[in-house]
Every structure is written in structure tokens, then in C-alpha cells.
Coordinates of all heavy atoms in Angstrom, one line a residue:
M1 N -136.4 53.3 -39.0 CA -135.7 52.2 -39.7 C -136.1 50.8 -39.2 O -135.8 49.8 -39.8 CB -134.2 52.4 -39.7 CG -133.7 53.4 -40.7 SD -132.0 53.2 -41.0 CE -131.3 54.5 -40.0
A2 N -136.7 50.7 -38.0 CA -137.1 49.4 -37.5 C -138.0 48.7 -38.4 O -138.9 49.2 -39.0 CB -137.7 49.6 -36.1
G3 N -137.7 47.4 -38.6 CA -138.5 46.6 -39.5 C -138.1 46.6 -40.9 O -138.5 45.8 -41.7
R4 N -137.2 47.6 -41.3 CA -136.7 47.7 -42.7 C -135.3 47.3 -42.8 O -134.8 47.3 -44.0 CB -137.0 49.1 -43.2 CG -138.4 49.5 -43.2 CD -138.6 50.9 -43.9 NE -137.8 51.9 -43.3 CZ -137.1 52.8 -44.0 NH1 -137.1 52.8 -45.3 NH2 -136.4 53.7 -43.4
T5 N -134.6 47.1 -41.7 CA -133.1 46.9 -41.8 C -132.8 45.5 -41.4 O -133.3 44.9 -40.4 CB -132.4 47.9 -40.8 OG1 -132.8 49.2 -41.2 CG2 -130.9 47.7 -40.9
V6 N -131.9 44.9 -42.2 CA -131.3 43.6 -41.9 C -129.8 43.6 -41.7 O -129.2 44.5 -42.2 CB -131.7 42.5 -43.0 CG1 -133.2 42.4 -43.1 CG2 -131.1 42.9 -44.3
R7 N -129.3 42.7 -40.9 CA -127.9 42.6 -40.7 C -127.4 41.4 -41.5 O -128.0 40.4 -41.5 CB -127.6 42.3 -39.2 CG -126.1 42.1 -38.9 CD -126.0 41.7 -37.4 NE -126.5 42.7 -36.5 CZ -125.8 43.6 -35.8 NH1 -124.5 43.7 -36.0 NH2 -126.4 44.5 -35.1
V8 N -126.3 41.7 -42.3 CA -125.7 40.6 -43.2 C -124.3 40.3 -42.8 O -123.5 41.3 -42.6 CB -125.8 41.1 -44.6 CG1 -125.2 40.0 -45.6 CG2 -127.2 41.5 -45.0
Q9 N -124.0 39.0 -42.6 CA -122.6 38.6 -42.3 C -122.3 37.4 -43.3 O -123.2 36.8 -43.8 CB -122.5 38.2 -40.9 CG -122.7 39.3 -39.9 CD -122.8 38.8 -38.5 OE1 -123.7 38.2 -38.1 NE2 -121.7 39.2 -37.8
G10 N -121.0 37.2 -43.4 CA -120.6 36.0 -44.2 C -120.0 36.4 -45.6 O -119.6 35.5 -46.3
F11 N -119.9 37.7 -45.9 CA -119.3 38.1 -47.2 C -117.8 38.1 -47.1 O -117.3 38.1 -46.0 CB -119.9 39.5 -47.6 CG -119.8 40.5 -46.6 CD1 -118.6 41.2 -46.3 CD2 -120.9 40.8 -45.8 CE1 -118.6 42.2 -45.4 CE2 -120.9 41.8 -44.8 CZ -119.7 42.5 -44.6
P12 N -117.1 38.1 -48.2 CA -115.6 38.1 -48.1 C -115.0 39.4 -47.5 O -115.3 40.5 -48.0 CB -115.2 37.9 -49.6 CG -116.4 38.4 -50.4 CD -117.6 38.1 -49.6
T13 N -114.3 39.2 -46.5 CA -113.7 40.4 -45.8 C -112.5 41.0 -46.4 O -112.1 42.1 -46.1 CB -113.3 40.0 -44.3 OG1 -112.4 38.9 -44.4 CG2 -114.6 39.6 -43.5
E14 N -111.9 40.3 -47.4 CA -110.8 40.8 -48.1 C -111.1 41.9 -49.1 O -110.2 42.6 -49.6 CB -109.9 39.7 -48.7 CG -110.6 38.9 -49.8 CD -111.4 37.8 -49.3 OE1 -111.6 37.6 -48.1 OE2 -112.0 37.0 -50.2
L15 N -112.4 42.0 -49.5 CA -112.8 43.0 -50.4 C -112.9 44.4 -49.8 O -113.3 44.5 -48.6 CB -114.2 42.7 -51.0 CG -114.3 41.4 -51.9 CD1 -115.7 41.2 -52.3 CD2 -113.4 41.5 -53.1
P16 N -112.6 45.5 -50.5 CA -112.8 46.8 -49.9 C -114.3 47.1 -49.6 O -115.2 46.5 -50.3 CB -112.3 47.8 -51.1 CG -111.6 46.9 -52.1 CD -112.1 45.5 -51.9
P17 N -114.6 47.8 -48.6 CA -116.0 48.1 -48.2 C -116.9 48.6 -49.3 O -118.0 48.2 -49.4 CB -115.8 49.1 -47.0 CG -114.5 48.9 -46.5 CD -113.6 48.5 -47.7
D18 N -116.3 49.5 -50.2 CA -117.2 50.0 -51.3 C -117.6 48.9 -52.2 O -118.7 48.8 -52.8 CB -116.6 51.2 -52.0 CG -115.2 50.8 -52.6 OD1 -114.5 49.9 -52.1 OD2 -114.8 51.5 -53.6
R19 N -116.7 47.9 -52.5 CA -117.0 46.8 -53.4 C -118.0 45.9 -52.7 O -118.9 45.3 -53.4 CB -115.7 46.1 -53.8 CG -116.0 44.9 -54.7 CD -114.9 44.9 -55.8 NE -115.3 43.9 -56.8 CZ -114.7 42.7 -56.9 NH1 -113.7 42.4 -56.2 NH2 -115.1 41.8 -57.8
V20 N -117.8 45.6 -51.4 CA -118.8 44.8 -50.7 C -120.2 45.4 -50.8 O -121.2 44.8 -51.1 CB -118.4 44.6 -49.2 CG1 -119.5 44.0 -48.4 CG2 -117.1 43.8 -49.1
A21 N -120.3 46.8 -50.6 CA -121.5 47.5 -50.6 C -122.2 47.3 -52.0 O -123.4 47.1 -52.1 CB -121.3 48.9 -50.3
D22 N -121.4 47.4 -53.1 CA -121.9 47.2 -54.4 C -122.4 45.8 -54.6 O -123.5 45.6 -55.2 CB -120.8 47.5 -55.5 CG -120.4 49.0 -55.6 OD1 -121.2 49.8 -55.0 OD2 -119.4 49.3 -56.2
K23 N -121.6 44.8 -54.2 CA -122.1 43.4 -54.4 C -123.4 43.1 -53.6 O -124.3 42.5 -54.1 CB -121.0 42.4 -53.9 CG -119.7 42.5 -54.8 CD -120.0 41.7 -56.1 CE -118.7 41.5 -56.9 NZ -119.0 40.9 -58.1
L24 N -123.4 43.6 -52.4 CA -124.7 43.4 -51.6 C -125.9 44.1 -52.2 O -127.0 43.6 -52.2 CB -124.4 43.8 -50.1 CG -123.4 43.0 -49.4 CD1 -123.2 43.6 -48.0 CD2 -123.9 41.5 -49.2
T25 N -125.6 45.3 -52.7 CA -126.7 46.1 -53.3 C -127.3 45.4 -54.5 O -128.5 45.2 -54.6 CB -126.2 47.5 -53.7 OG1 -125.8 48.2 -52.5 CG2 -127.3 48.3 -54.4
I26 N -126.4 44.9 -55.4 CA -126.9 44.1 -56.5 C -127.6 42.9 -56.1 O -128.7 42.6 -56.6 CB -125.7 43.8 -57.5 CG1 -125.1 45.1 -58.1 CG2 -126.1 42.8 -58.5 CD1 -123.7 44.9 -58.7
H27 N -127.1 42.1 -55.2 CA -127.7 40.9 -54.7 C -129.1 41.2 -54.2 O -130.1 40.5 -54.5 CB -126.9 40.2 -53.7 CG -127.5 39.0 -53.2 ND1 -127.4 37.7 -53.8 CD2 -128.2 38.7 -52.1 CE1 -128.0 36.8 -53.1 NE2 -128.6 37.4 -52.0
F28 N -129.2 42.2 -53.3 CA -130.5 42.4 -52.6 C -131.5 43.3 -53.3 O -132.6 43.4 -52.9 CB -130.2 42.9 -51.2 CG -129.7 41.9 -50.3 CD1 -128.4 41.9 -49.8 CD2 -130.4 40.8 -49.8 CE1 -127.8 41.0 -49.0 CE2 -129.9 39.8 -49.0 CZ -128.6 39.9 -48.6
L29 N -131.1 43.8 -54.5 CA -132.0 44.5 -55.4 C -132.8 43.5 -56.2 O -133.9 43.8 -56.6 CB -131.3 45.5 -56.3 CG -131.0 46.9 -55.8 CD1 -130.1 47.6 -56.7 CD2 -132.3 47.6 -55.6
R30 N -132.2 42.3 -56.5 CA -132.8 41.4 -57.4 C -134.1 40.8 -56.9 O -134.1 40.2 -55.7 CB -131.8 40.3 -57.7 CG -130.7 40.7 -58.6 CD -129.8 39.6 -59.0 NE -128.8 40.0 -60.0 CZ -127.5 39.6 -60.0 NH1 -127.1 38.7 -59.1 NH2 -126.7 40.1 -60.9
S31 N -135.1 40.8 -57.7 CA -136.4 40.2 -57.2 C -136.3 38.7 -57.0 O -136.9 38.1 -56.2 CB -137.5 40.5 -58.2 OG -137.2 40.0 -59.5
R32 N -135.4 38.0 -57.8 CA -135.3 36.5 -57.6 C -134.7 36.2 -56.3 O -134.8 35.1 -55.8 CB -134.4 35.9 -58.7 CG -133.0 36.2 -58.6 CD -132.2 35.4 -59.7 NE -130.8 35.6 -59.5 CZ -129.9 35.7 -60.5 NH1 -130.3 35.7 -61.7 NH2 -128.6 35.9 -60.2
N33 N -134.0 37.1 -55.6 CA -133.5 36.9 -54.3 C -134.5 37.4 -53.2 O -134.1 37.5 -52.0 CB -132.1 37.6 -54.1 CG -131.1 37.1 -55.0 OD1 -131.1 35.9 -55.3 ND2 -130.2 37.9 -55.5
G34 N -135.7 37.8 -53.6 CA -136.6 38.4 -52.7 C -136.4 39.9 -52.4 O -137.1 40.4 -51.5
G35 N -135.5 40.5 -53.1 CA -135.1 41.9 -52.8 C -136.1 42.9 -53.4 O -137.1 42.6 -54.0
G36 N -135.6 44.1 -53.2 CA -136.4 45.3 -53.7 C -135.6 46.6 -53.5 O -134.4 46.5 -53.2
E37 N -136.2 47.7 -53.5 CA -135.6 49.0 -53.4 C -134.8 49.1 -52.1 O -135.4 48.9 -51.0 CB -136.5 50.1 -53.6 CG -137.1 50.2 -55.1 CD -136.0 50.4 -56.1 OE1 -135.1 51.3 -55.8 OE2 -136.0 49.7 -57.1
I38 N -133.6 49.6 -52.2 CA -132.7 49.7 -51.0 C -132.6 51.2 -50.7 O -132.3 52.0 -51.6 CB -131.4 49.1 -51.2 CG1 -131.5 47.6 -51.4 CG2 -130.4 49.4 -50.1 CD1 -130.3 46.9 -51.8
A39 N -132.7 51.6 -49.4 CA -132.6 53.0 -49.0 C -131.1 53.2 -48.6 O -130.6 54.3 -48.8 CB -133.5 53.3 -47.8
D40 N -130.4 52.2 -48.0 CA -129.1 52.5 -47.5 C -128.3 51.1 -47.3 O -128.9 50.1 -46.9 CB -129.1 53.2 -46.1 CG -127.8 53.6 -45.6 OD1 -127.0 54.2 -46.5 OD2 -127.5 53.5 -44.5
V41 N -127.0 51.1 -47.6 CA -126.1 50.0 -47.3 C -125.0 50.5 -46.5 O -124.3 51.5 -47.0 CB -125.7 49.3 -48.6 CG1 -124.7 48.2 -48.2 CG2 -126.8 48.8 -49.4
Q42 N -124.7 50.0 -45.3 CA -123.6 50.4 -44.5 C -122.7 49.1 -44.2 O -123.2 48.2 -43.7 CB -124.0 50.9 -43.2 CG -124.8 52.2 -43.2 CD -125.3 52.6 -41.8 OE1 -124.7 52.2 -40.8 NE2 -126.3 53.4 -41.8
V43 N -121.5 49.2 -44.6 CA -120.5 48.1 -44.3 C -119.8 48.5 -43.1 O -119.1 49.5 -43.1 CB -119.6 47.8 -45.5 CG1 -118.6 46.7 -45.2 CG2 -120.4 47.4 -46.8
L44 N -119.9 47.7 -42.0 CA -119.3 48.1 -40.7 C -118.1 47.2 -40.5 O -117.9 46.2 -41.1 CB -120.4 47.8 -39.6 CG -121.7 48.4 -39.8 CD1 -122.7 48.0 -38.7 CD2 -121.6 50.0 -39.8
P45 N -117.2 47.7 -39.6 CA -116.0 46.9 -39.2 C -116.5 45.6 -38.6 O -117.5 45.6 -38.0 CB -115.3 47.8 -38.2 CG -115.8 49.2 -38.4 CD -117.2 49.0 -39.0
G46 N -115.7 44.6 -38.8 CA -116.1 43.3 -38.2 C -116.9 42.4 -39.1 O -117.7 41.6 -38.7
A47 N -116.8 42.6 -40.4 CA -117.5 41.8 -41.4 C -119.0 41.7 -41.2 O -119.6 40.7 -41.3 CB -116.9 40.4 -41.4
C48 N -119.6 42.9 -41.1 CA -121.0 43.0 -40.9 C -121.5 44.2 -41.7 O -120.8 45.2 -41.9 CB -121.3 43.3 -39.4 SG -123.1 43.6 -39.1
A49 N -122.7 44.0 -42.3 CA -123.3 45.1 -43.1 C -124.8 45.3 -42.7 O -125.4 44.3 -42.3 CB -123.2 44.8 -44.6
L50 N -125.2 46.5 -42.7 CA -126.6 46.8 -42.4 C -127.3 47.3 -43.7 O -126.8 48.2 -44.4 CB -126.8 47.9 -41.4 CG -126.2 47.6 -40.0 CD1 -126.4 48.7 -39.1 CD2 -126.9 46.3 -39.4
I51 N -128.4 46.7 -44.1 CA -129.1 47.0 -45.4 C -130.5 47.5 -45.0 O -131.2 46.7 -44.3 CB -129.1 45.9 -46.4 CG1 -127.7 45.5 -46.7 CG2 -129.9 46.3 -47.6 CD1 -127.6 44.3 -47.6
T52 N -130.8 48.7 -45.3 CA -132.2 49.2 -45.1 C -132.9 49.3 -46.4 O -132.5 49.9 -47.3 CB -132.1 50.6 -44.4 OG1 -131.3 50.5 -43.2 CG2 -133.5 51.1 -44.1
F53 N -134.1 48.7 -46.4 CA -135.0 48.6 -47.5 C -136.0 49.8 -47.5 O -136.3 50.3 -46.4 CB -135.6 47.3 -47.7 CG -134.7 46.2 -47.9 CD1 -134.1 45.4 -46.9 CD2 -134.3 45.9 -49.2 CE1 -133.2 44.4 -47.1 CE2 -133.3 44.9 -49.5 CZ -132.8 44.2 -48.4
E54 N -136.5 50.1 -48.6 CA -137.6 51.2 -48.7 C -138.8 50.7 -48.0 O -139.5 51.5 -47.3 CB -137.9 51.6 -50.1 CG -136.7 52.3 -50.8 CD -136.5 53.7 -50.4 OE1 -137.4 54.3 -49.7 OE2 -135.4 54.2 -50.6
A55 N -139.1 49.4 -48.1 CA -140.4 48.9 -47.6 C -140.1 47.7 -46.6 O -139.3 46.9 -46.9 CB -141.3 48.4 -48.7
P56 N -140.8 47.7 -45.5 CA -140.6 46.6 -44.5 C -140.9 45.2 -45.0 O -140.3 44.2 -44.6 CB -141.5 47.0 -43.3 CG -142.4 48.1 -43.7 CD -141.8 48.6 -45.0
E57 N -141.8 45.1 -46.0 CA -142.2 43.8 -46.5 C -141.0 43.2 -47.3 O -140.9 42.0 -47.4 CB -143.5 43.8 -47.3 CG -143.5 44.8 -48.5 CD -144.0 46.1 -48.1 OE1 -144.1 46.5 -47.0 OE2 -144.3 46.9 -49.1
V58 N -140.2 44.0 -47.9 CA -139.0 43.5 -48.6 C -138.0 42.9 -47.6 O -137.5 41.8 -47.8 CB -138.3 44.6 -49.4 CG1 -137.0 44.1 -50.0 CG2 -139.2 45.1 -50.5
A59 N -137.8 43.6 -46.5 CA -136.9 43.1 -45.4 C -137.4 41.7 -44.9 O -136.7 40.8 -44.7 CB -136.8 44.1 -44.3
Q60 N -138.8 41.6 -44.8 CA -139.3 40.3 -44.3 C -139.1 39.2 -45.3 O -138.8 38.1 -44.9 CB -140.8 40.5 -44.0 CG -141.1 41.4 -42.8 CD -140.4 41.0 -41.6 OE1 -140.4 39.9 -41.1 NE2 -139.6 41.9 -41.0
R61 N -139.2 39.5 -46.6 CA -139.0 38.5 -47.6 C -137.5 38.0 -47.6 O -137.2 36.9 -47.7 CB -139.3 39.0 -49.0 CG -140.8 39.0 -49.4 CD -141.0 39.2 -50.8 NE -140.2 40.2 -51.5 CZ -140.6 41.4 -51.8 NH1 -141.8 41.8 -51.5 NH2 -139.8 42.3 -52.4
I62 N -136.6 39.0 -47.4 CA -135.2 38.7 -47.4 C -134.9 37.8 -46.2 O -134.1 36.9 -46.3 CB -134.4 40.1 -47.2 CG1 -134.5 40.9 -48.5 CG2 -132.9 39.8 -46.8 CD1 -133.8 40.3 -49.7
L63 N -135.5 38.0 -45.1 CA -135.2 37.2 -43.9 C -135.7 35.8 -44.0 O -135.1 34.9 -43.4 CB -135.9 37.8 -42.7 CG -135.3 39.1 -42.2 CD1 -136.2 39.8 -41.1 CD2 -133.9 38.9 -41.6
Q64 N -136.6 35.5 -44.9 CA -137.2 34.2 -45.1 C -136.5 33.4 -46.2 O -136.8 32.2 -46.4 CB -138.7 34.3 -45.4 CG -139.4 34.8 -44.2 CD -140.9 35.0 -44.4 OE1 -141.4 34.4 -45.3 NE2 -141.5 35.8 -43.6
A65 N -135.5 33.9 -46.8 CA -134.8 33.2 -47.9 C -133.4 33.0 -47.6 O -132.8 33.6 -46.7 CB -134.9 34.1 -49.2
E66 N -132.8 32.0 -48.2 CA -131.4 31.7 -48.1 C -130.6 32.5 -49.1 O -131.1 32.6 -50.3 CB -131.1 30.2 -48.2 CG -131.6 29.4 -47.0 CD -131.1 28.0 -47.1 OE1 -130.0 27.7 -47.7 OE2 -131.8 27.1 -46.6
H67 N -129.5 33.1 -48.7 CA -128.7 33.9 -49.7 C -127.3 33.4 -49.8 O -126.6 33.1 -48.8 CB -128.7 35.4 -49.2 CG -130.1 35.9 -49.1 ND1 -130.8 36.4 -50.2 CD2 -131.0 36.0 -48.0 CE1 -132.0 36.8 -49.8 NE2 -132.1 36.6 -48.5
V68 N -126.8 33.4 -51.0 CA -125.4 33.0 -51.3 C -124.9 34.1 -52.3 O -125.5 34.3 -53.4 CB -125.3 31.6 -52.0 CG1 -123.9 31.3 -52.3 CG2 -125.9 30.5 -51.0
L69 N -123.8 34.7 -51.9 CA -123.2 35.8 -52.7 C -122.1 35.2 -53.5 O -121.2 34.5 -53.0 CB -122.7 36.9 -51.8 CG -122.1 38.1 -52.4 CD1 -123.2 38.9 -53.1 CD2 -121.4 39.0 -51.4
S70 N -122.1 35.4 -54.8 CA -121.0 34.9 -55.7 C -120.1 36.0 -56.0 O -120.5 37.1 -56.5 CB -121.6 34.4 -57.0 OG -122.4 33.2 -56.8
V71 N -118.8 35.8 -55.7 CA -117.8 36.8 -56.0 C -116.6 36.1 -56.6 O -116.0 35.2 -56.0 CB -117.3 37.5 -54.7 CG1 -116.2 38.5 -55.0 CG2 -118.5 38.2 -54.0
E72 N -116.2 36.5 -57.8 CA -115.1 35.9 -58.5 C -115.1 34.4 -58.5 O -114.0 33.8 -58.2 CB -113.8 36.5 -57.9 CG -113.7 38.0 -58.1 CD -112.5 38.7 -57.4 OE1 -111.8 37.9 -56.7 OE2 -112.4 39.9 -57.5
G73 N -116.2 33.8 -58.8 CA -116.3 32.4 -58.9 C -116.4 31.6 -57.6 O -116.6 30.4 -57.5
R74 N -116.4 32.3 -56.5 CA -116.5 31.7 -55.1 C -117.9 32.0 -54.6 O -118.5 33.1 -54.9 CB -115.5 32.2 -54.2 CG -114.1 31.8 -54.6 CD -113.0 31.9 -53.6 NE -113.3 31.2 -52.4 CZ -112.8 31.4 -51.2 NH1 -111.9 32.3 -51.1 NH2 -113.1 30.6 -50.2
R75 N -118.4 31.1 -53.8 CA -119.8 31.3 -53.2 C -119.7 31.5 -51.7 O -119.0 30.7 -51.1 CB -120.7 30.1 -53.6 CG -120.9 30.0 -55.1 CD -121.5 28.7 -55.5 NE -122.8 28.4 -54.9 CZ -124.0 28.9 -55.2 NH1 -124.1 29.7 -56.2 NH2 -125.1 28.5 -54.6
Y76 N -120.3 32.5 -51.2 CA -120.3 32.8 -49.8 C -121.7 32.8 -49.2 O -122.6 33.6 -49.6 CB -119.7 34.2 -49.6 CG -118.3 34.4 -50.0 CD1 -118.0 34.7 -51.4 CD2 -117.3 34.2 -49.1 CE1 -116.7 34.8 -51.8 CE2 -115.9 34.3 -49.6 CZ -115.7 34.6 -50.9 OH -114.4 34.8 -51.3
P77 N -122.1 31.8 -48.4 CA -123.4 31.8 -47.8 C -123.5 33.0 -46.8 O -122.6 33.2 -46.0 CB -123.4 30.5 -47.0 CG -122.1 29.7 -47.3 CD -121.2 30.7 -48.0
L78 N -124.6 33.7 -47.0 CA -124.8 34.9 -46.1 C -125.7 34.6 -45.0 O -126.7 33.8 -45.1 CB -125.4 36.0 -46.9 CG -124.5 36.5 -48.1 CD1 -125.3 37.6 -48.9 CD2 -123.2 37.1 -47.7
E79 N -125.4 35.1 -43.8 CA -126.2 35.0 -42.7 C -127.0 36.4 -42.6 O -126.4 37.4 -42.4 CB -125.4 34.8 -41.4 CG -126.3 34.8 -40.1 CD -125.4 34.7 -38.9 OE1 -124.3 34.2 -38.9 OE2 -126.0 35.0 -37.8
V80 N -128.3 36.3 -42.7 CA -129.1 37.5 -42.7 C -130.1 37.4 -41.5 O -130.8 36.5 -41.4 CB -129.9 37.6 -44.0 CG1 -130.8 38.9 -44.0 CG2 -129.0 37.6 -45.2
T81 N -130.0 38.4 -40.7 CA -130.9 38.5 -39.5 C -131.5 39.9 -39.4 O -131.1 40.8 -39.9 CB -130.0 38.2 -38.2 OG1 -129.0 39.1 -38.1 CG2 -129.5 36.8 -38.2
A82 N -132.6 39.9 -38.6 CA -133.3 41.2 -38.3 C -132.3 42.1 -37.5 O -131.6 41.6 -36.7 CB -134.6 41.0 -37.6
H83 N -132.4 43.3 -37.8 CA -131.6 44.3 -37.0 C -132.5 45.2 -36.2 O -133.4 45.9 -36.8 CB -130.7 45.1 -38.0 CG -129.9 46.2 -37.3 ND1 -128.9 45.9 -36.4 CD2 -130.0 47.5 -37.2 CE1 -128.4 47.0 -35.9 NE2 -129.1 48.0 -36.4
G84 N -132.3 45.2 -34.9 CA -133.1 46.1 -34.0 C -132.5 47.5 -34.0 O -131.3 47.6 -34.1
A85 N -133.4 48.5 -34.0 CA -132.9 49.9 -34.0 C -132.3 50.3 -32.7 O -131.6 51.2 -32.6 CB -134.1 50.8 -34.4
E86 N -132.7 49.6 -31.6 CA -132.3 50.0 -30.3 C -130.8 49.4 -30.0 O -130.5 48.4 -30.5 CB -133.2 49.4 -29.2 CG -134.6 49.9 -29.3 CD -135.4 49.1 -30.3 OE1 -135.1 47.9 -30.6 OE2 -136.3 49.7 -30.9
L87 N -130.1 50.2 -29.2 CA -128.8 49.8 -28.9 C -128.9 48.9 -27.6 O -129.6 49.1 -26.7 CB -127.9 51.0 -28.5 CG -127.5 51.9 -29.6 CD1 -126.7 53.1 -29.1 CD2 -126.6 51.1 -30.6
S88 N -128.1 47.8 -27.6 CA -128.0 47.0 -26.4 C -127.1 47.7 -25.4 O -126.3 48.6 -25.7 CB -127.4 45.6 -26.7 OG -126.0 45.7 -26.9
P89 N -127.2 47.4 -24.1 CA -126.4 48.0 -23.1 C -124.9 47.9 -23.4 O -124.1 48.7 -23.0 CB -126.8 47.3 -21.8 CG -128.1 46.8 -22.1 CD -128.2 46.5 -23.5
D90 N -124.5 46.8 -24.1 CA -123.1 46.6 -24.4 C -122.6 47.6 -25.4 O -121.4 47.8 -25.6 CB -122.8 45.2 -24.9 CG -123.1 44.2 -23.8 OD1 -123.0 44.5 -22.6 OD2 -123.5 43.0 -24.1
E91 N -123.5 48.2 -26.2 CA -123.1 49.0 -27.3 C -123.1 50.5 -26.9 O -122.6 51.3 -27.7 CB -124.0 48.9 -28.5 CG -124.0 47.5 -29.2 CD -125.0 47.3 -30.3 OE1 -126.2 47.6 -30.1 OE2 -124.5 47.0 -31.4
V92 N -123.5 50.8 -25.7 CA -123.6 52.2 -25.3 C -122.3 52.7 -24.9 O -121.4 52.1 -24.4 CB -124.6 52.4 -24.1 CG1 -124.6 53.8 -23.6 CG2 -126.0 52.0 -24.6

């Protein structure tokens, strides 16, 4: 999964995780957002999500664009960063 997964933060935390996953999937599938085919979306505790794309070039495009998620008329700037597959010593 290395090179294909991005970490996303900044989405509304009051939404249920399944709704967040749906909103993020729709946003990151759209070609106008630099997106493409998604292999997996995981919404984690602490207002963080991991999105794994089918192709690493899609993840690279996503990282180079600014993303704003619209939910019920409100706009949420998303922070999108590369996600390393390795665990840090603090996560073990």
C-alpha cells in the first residue's frame, strides 16, 4: 500500500464514520479533484481517514492539489498528507 495511501484530516467530526467515508469517497473519485479509483477508505478515531488508491499516480496527484469538502452548505479545508506504511515507534 506504500505510495498509494494518503492521510486526510479536517473533515467534520460530528458526522458518523460511514457518512464521512461516503463523502470522502465521492470527493476523491472525482477527476476534477485529481482523484481516481479507490481501493479502500478507513475512517479512524481522532478525525483522521486513510484513503488507498488503486494507482500510486492518483495518490501523487491528490497530494499536489488543495481539497475542500462541502457538507450541508459548509466548506471544510482538508489536510492531505502522504501516509507511510511503516509504524513509528510510538505506534507499536
Side-chain angles (χ1 to χ4, degrees):
M1 279 197 261
R4 297 187 306 137
T5 303
V6 297
R7 178 186 303 260
V8 180
Q9 295 175 289
F11 51 82
T13 56
E14 63 273 6
L15 294 178
D18 59 334
R19 183 136 184 252
V20 170
D22 290 346
K23 292 284 188 184
L24 293 175
T25 299
I26 291 166
H27 178 84
F28 288 109
L29 273 172
R30 289 187 174 140
S31 59
R32 74 173 186 220
N33 295 327
E37 291 300 314
I38 295 173
D40 187 44
V41 176
Q42 296 177 23
V43 178
L44 306 174
C48 174
L50 299 178
I51 301 175
T52 302
F53 295 92
E54 293 287 342
E57 56 270 15
V58 176
Q60 293 307 308
R61 282 197 314 261
I62 291 294
L63 289 170
Q64 295 178 16
E66 289 189 28
H67 299 279
V68 177
L69 185 68
S70 294
V71 179
E72 298 173 358
R74 296 192 60 197
R75 297 170 54 82
Y76 298 87
L78 299 177
E79 179 185 338
V80 182
T81 56
H83 177 69
E86 299 80 29
L87 289 176
S88 75
D90 295 334
E91 294 177 307
V92 176

